[in-house]
Amino acid sequence: MERHSFNLLDQEWVPVVEGGQPRCLSLMDVLVRAHEIDGLSTANPLETVAVLRQVLLPIYLDACGIPNSEAEWEHRRAVGQVDVGLLKPYLDEHRVRFDLFGDRPFGQAAGLRTAKDEDKPISLLVAATATGNNVPLFTSRNEANPPSMTPAEAVRAMLAAQCWDTAAIKSGAADDPQVKGGKTTGNPTGPCGALGVVVPIGRNLFETLLLNSPIVRQPPREDRPQWRRELAMTGVWETRSALGLLDLLTWQSRRIRLIPENDAGGATVVRRVVLTAGDRLQLIPRDVEPHTAWRRVDKPRAGQASHMPMRHAPGRDAWRGLTPMLATVPGTDLAYSSSILLTQLGDVEVSDLPLQVLTVGVAYGNQSAVVEDILADMIPLPLAAFAAGEVRRLVEAVVEQAEELRRAGNRLDDDLRRAAGGDPVPWDRGLRPGDALMHELNRVVRRLLAGLQREPERCEEAEDAWRRSAYGLALKAAEPALAAVPPTAFLGREEDDKQAKKQKKTYRASLAEAWYEGAVRKILGVEPAHVSEWKAQG
């Protein structure tokens, strides 16, 4: 049998952006030159998170140590690059474990096989590719036409599968005592599938690594990444708790074996894979998991945690989820708490950092066995918003007011439809005025956040600009709905008032318009004098 080799330390496989241009670099180059590299490419956000969590961050933390104090963290920021004196000996020591096709292949179980020696197309590892019951829209491939991956593509897909793989039934490994009928059932998604991942992004890759390094006062001695553990080379798995941060970041939620072969030109490619059940987390540890915000569970069921990870909602821009991200001040909002990493930014000296936040998540369907949507966004985040003060107050007010404007716009649509003799459109059908308004407000809010990031002292001017822009856009968003009402809507009609029994409520286009404009002014705190002044200024 021909021997294949692809060592991640030397081969180019990590997608980065350098000098504004995308390229791939080896693991050694990426870490040694992290301070010179803009950052990881976000062209495939699931792979971006997987490469950071499963490889780059745990190598950095294991080789250089997890920061154990604010002073240590700030010292590393002052140095501004990875300590090569610690990194290179570490990578040399573990070099053999980073060969994708070695005797102990990276991230895989070398002896993995099913009872019938079955394998599947490599597309099984790609969330957005058709395989089995997972049939995304707008794909030209299926299992009869599987892709052929280079080793670089295959390792990134494998890492993403460890983080985000779908749930439900998996093939059973031949030596797994928990297999029934050749299958394992009850498999959860990959650990990141339960999270609304929030990744702080710095000005270069080293800053990103540091921003994603939680301060841990006393790391558990038994904690280590998967390449320093004597992993079973078979399909045996267990349900357990994470031993610590490094164990959690490199969690092996699936047992995988990539099958290399030569293409027609003699190059190594991967077309087939064996994938079976992997380790299951007993509980996502709130005091360890660094990349998600949390919501309080008011009445947890027996065995349920008191806090659950916040998930990103499909169709919502990242800034609409800022409230839990900013819940870093104890006691300010007990319903939410921010991620460990964002909370930490309030304790270290980074006031001059132009922070970006990458949010990534997966929306699953049909018992989490299929992928319905991949959610990704990036927004600027003013560091001043993490402290109690005017910037924080403004950012939270903007998010709340935007949601209230959305509800007001949708209620206008409901009232106009009732005035015309119809019924309101269900909340999940069609693009209503309030939902259309959120798309327009998106660019305004992003511009506001970027401005507050550069000049937080101009908070009052930013608030005035927000109110003026939001007021104008809210009125403009209502124009199509008002222009489309039939003549009968101006005469209106009466309905039973559900809020007041034995009373009638009149619905008329003019009343609906007046109510909406009044609601917009009330939400934004706009007085008639403000409107007159804005009109005078053009």
Side-chain angles (χ1 to χ4, degrees):
M1 181 180 295
E2 185 169 355
R3 186 173 182 82
H4 298 267
S5 179
F6 187 89
N7 198 292
L8 304 183
L9 301 186
D10 309 315
Q11 301 292 330
E12 296 176 347
W13 69 278
V14 182
V16 301
V17 177
E18 185 176 17
Q21 298 298 317
R23 60 179 303 189
C24 277
L25 295 175
S26 70
L27 196 49
M28 182 74 78
D29 282 344
V30 165
L31 291 168
V32 170
R33 299 179 44 236
H35 57 291
E36 300 172 352
I37 296 169
D38 299 347
L40 292 174
S41 168
T42 56
N44 185 322
L46 300 190
E47 291 184 357
T48 301
V49 171
V51 170
L52 177 69
R53 274 182 64 107
Q54 290 247 328
V55 184
L56 298 183
L57 186 57
I59 286 178
Y60 170 64
L61 295 177
D62 202 34
C64 300
I66 300 174
N68 59 17
S69 67
E70 286 82 3
E72 168 64 17
W73 194 97
E74 289 166 5
H75 170 73
R76 295 189 186 191
R77 185 176 183 234
V79 172
Q81 63 185 71
V82 176
D83 188 338
V84 178
L86 295 174
L87 175 69
K88 284 191 172 180
Y90 175 90
L91 293 179
D92 287 341
E93 178 184 356
H94 302 292
R95 168 172 289 276
V96 67
R97 301 300 292 270
F98 286 93
D99 191 334
L100 193 62
F101 306 121
D103 293 333
R104 298 187 66 87
F106 177 82
Q108 301 164 72
L112 187 65
R113 52 179 289 272
T114 66
K116 296 182 179 179
D117 283 325
E118 300 165 311
D119 53 44
K120 294 194 174 180
I122 190 68
S123 55
L124 185 68
L125 302 181
V126 183
T129 300
T131 178
N133 292 328
N134 185 42
V135 186
L137 296 175
F138 313 119
T139 179
S140 60
R141 287 192 178 274
N142 54 38
E143 287 194 0
N145 180 31
S148 173
M149 291 189 182
T150 65
E153 293 168 335
V155 68
R156 295 196 300 267
M158 179 184 71
L159 294 171
Q162 292 287 14
C163 291
W164 310 95
D165 190 35
T166 54
I169 298 172
K170 302 296 173 186
S171 297
D175 50 3
D176 180 5
Q178 302 182 75
V179 168
K180 294 181 179 179
K183 305 288 184 181
T184 56
T185 59
N187 297 283
T189 66
C192 289
L195 313 177
V197 172
V198 178
V199 180
I201 303 293
R203 291 168 294 190
N204 57 52
L205 183 54
F206 172 74
E207 277 193 352
T208 297
L209 288 172
L210 188 59
L211 287 170
N212 285 273
S213 302
I215 296 169
V216 181
R217 311 292 176 183
Q218 294 180 321
R221 295 184 62 182
E222 66 275 14
D223 185 28
R224 63 194 63 187
Q226 54 92 355
W227 52 84
R228 283 211 299 119
R229 293 176 56 217
E230 292 304 317
L231 295 177
M233 304 295 283
T234 63
V236 178
W237 56 273
E238 59 183 328
T239 300
R240 62 180 179 86
S241 301
L243 300 175
L245 176 63
L246 300 175
D247 185 30
L248 180 65
L249 292 175
T250 61
W251 190 263
Q252 301 293 283
S253 65
R254 301 291 182 263
R255 297 289 182 262
I256 296 174
R257 179 169 65 89
L258 302 175
I259 302 175
E261 60 182 271
N262 290 333
D263 65 8
T268 300
V269 296
V270 180
R271 292 192 177 94
R272 312 293 297 182
V273 63
V274 180
L275 184 148
T276 65
D279 296 335
R280 302 181 185 182
L281 270 173
Q282 284 182 329
L283 195 68
I284 299 175
R286 186 184 171 205
D287 58 341
V288 179
E289 171 53 59
H291 286 126
T292 190
W294 303 82
R295 62 176 177 83
R296 184 189 62 214
V297 180
D298 291 327
K299 296 180 179 180
R301 301 187 299 271
Q304 185 182 16
S306 61
H307 287 76
M308 297 293 289
M310 292 285 297
R311 302 280 300 275
H312 301 313
R316 289 168 61 97
D317 296 295
W319 61 265
R320 295 174 66 183
L322 276 173
T323 299
M325 285 189 216
L326 296 179
T328 60
V329 180
T332 57
D333 193 349
L334 297 177
Y336 305 107
S337 57
S338 189
S339 71
I340 290 173
L341 297 172
L342 294 187
T343 300
Q344 182 175 287
L345 291 177
D347 301 324
V348 295
E349 187 56 45
V350 288
S351 58
D352 61 330
L353 180 66
L355 179 69
Q356 301 281 320
V357 172
L358 173 67
T359 61
V360 183
V362 169
Y364 298 95
N366 191 19
Q367 299 181 330
S368 297
V370 296
V371 172
E372 290 190 340
D373 199 4
I374 295 173
L375 320 170
D377 197 2
M378 188 180 295
I379 55 171
L381 191 55
L383 286 169
F386 289 116
E390 287 302 301
V391 174
R392 181 192 185 94
R393 180 198 62 78
L394 174 57
V395 171
E396 291 180 334
V398 164
V399 174
E400 181 179 353
Q401 289 170 4
E403 287 298 324
E404 290 180 0
L405 290 173
R406 181 187 66 82
R407 289 192 288 268
N410 290 344
R411 181 173 172 182
L412 169 67
D413 187 62
D414 294 344
D415 289 349
L416 291 175
R417 289 178 181 276
R418 288 191 177 101
D423 294 319
V425 174
W427 68 269
D428 58 345
R429 301 286 179 86
L431 183 63
R432 299 191 290 172
D435 301 315
L437 173 60
M438 296 304 284
H439 292 290
E440 297 300 319
L441 291 178
N442 179 45
R443 57 184 176 82
V444 177
V445 175
R446 289 174 187 272
R447 188 166 65 239
L448 178 139
L449 292 172
L452 290 173
Q453 189 178 69
R454 293 190 302 268
E455 300 175 283
E457 69 279 0
R458 299 179 64 183
C459 190
E460 187 174 340
E461 294 176 58
E463 183 171 17
D464 288 341
W466 155 252
R467 291 162 67 195
R468 179 170 181 165
S469 296
Y471 179 78
L473 289 172
L475 296 188
K476 185 177 179 180
E479 291 175 359
L482 292 168
V485 295
T488 54
F490 293 96
L491 297 175
R493 66 171 179 150
E494 288 187 342
E495 280 188 2
D496 292 332
D497 190 343
K498 296 180 180 180
Q499 303 298 323
K501 294 181 179 179
K502 298 182 180 181
Q503 292 187 21
K504 297 288 186 178
K505 185 173 182 178
T506 301
Y507 291 95
R508 189 178 296 126
S510 58
L511 292 176
E513 182 179 9
W515 176 87
Y516 177 67
E517 185 173 359
V520 169
R521 285 194 283 105
K522 182 179 179 181
I523 290 167
L524 296 172
V526 174
E527 300 294 337
H530 292 133
V531 179
S532 300
E533 179 184 349
W534 294 341
K535 288 181 178 179
Q537 294 173 353

